[in-house]
Amino acid sequence: MNEKLEKLNQELENTEARLRRAQHKEKMLEHQIKTLNRKERTHRLCTRGAMPESHLPHPEAVTDEQVSTILKVLFHRSNTKFLLEQVLAENQKEDMK
């Protein structure tokens, strides 16, 4: 009886140790996911943020507020809204495939 109890206690300790390792690995993987998402977002922001600047004749001569105003005006035009809706609808079709 005592031997069986020892064996069960040892199995319990081993199982708890595996659980702790699995929980630690889960935390590490969650951290990796957060890091990759942050890097992906940073890359996207840098890439897409540079795009409007590449279309300005003298980007150093315009303030951030002026660029923001230009983008607001462009995105509120009806033909821009229509183009954006088309692009989003096309992306949605691609996602359904």
Side-chain angles (χ1 to χ4, degrees):
M1 179 89 163
N2 203 14
E3 208 174 283
K4 192 174 183 181
L5 185 58
E6 271 186 46
K7 188 176 180 182
L8 287 173
N9 280 333
Q10 184 63 38
E11 191 177 326
L12 178 63
E13 287 178 23
N14 290 341
T15 304
E16 288 174 344
R18 283 199 314 267
L19 175 62
R20 283 190 300 274
R21 285 193 300 272
Q23 288 171 333
H24 179 68
K25 185 173 183 176
E26 180 184 25
K27 284 183 182 181
M28 287 176 42
L29 291 172
E30 287 173 354
H31 178 71
Q32 284 180 342
I33 289 170
K34 286 179 186 177
T35 301
L36 290 173
N37 285 338
R38 187 176 59 248
K39 285 182 179 183
E40 182 181 307
R41 180 177 183 272
T42 300
H43 175 73
R44 186 178 60 249
L45 289 173
C46 291
T47 302
R48 292 182 183 178
M51 288 176 186
E53 185 166 301
S54 70
H55 294 286
L56 293 171
H58 299 288
E60 67 282 349
V62 215
T63 66
D64 291 347
E65 282 185 22
Q66 291 169 329
V67 172
S68 179
T69 301
I70 291 167
L71 291 173
K72 282 179 189 174
V73 169
L74 288 174
F75 275 95
H76 283 88
R77 295 179 65 189
S78 59
N79 58 347
T80 305
K81 286 182 182 180
F82 178 72
L83 175 63
L84 186 57
E85 287 171 9
Q86 281 183 318
V87 168
L88 293 175
E90 189 175 306
N91 287 350
Q92 218 172 18
K93 286 180 189 174
E94 289 294 319
D95 288 343
M96 294 179 130
K97 289 182 180 179

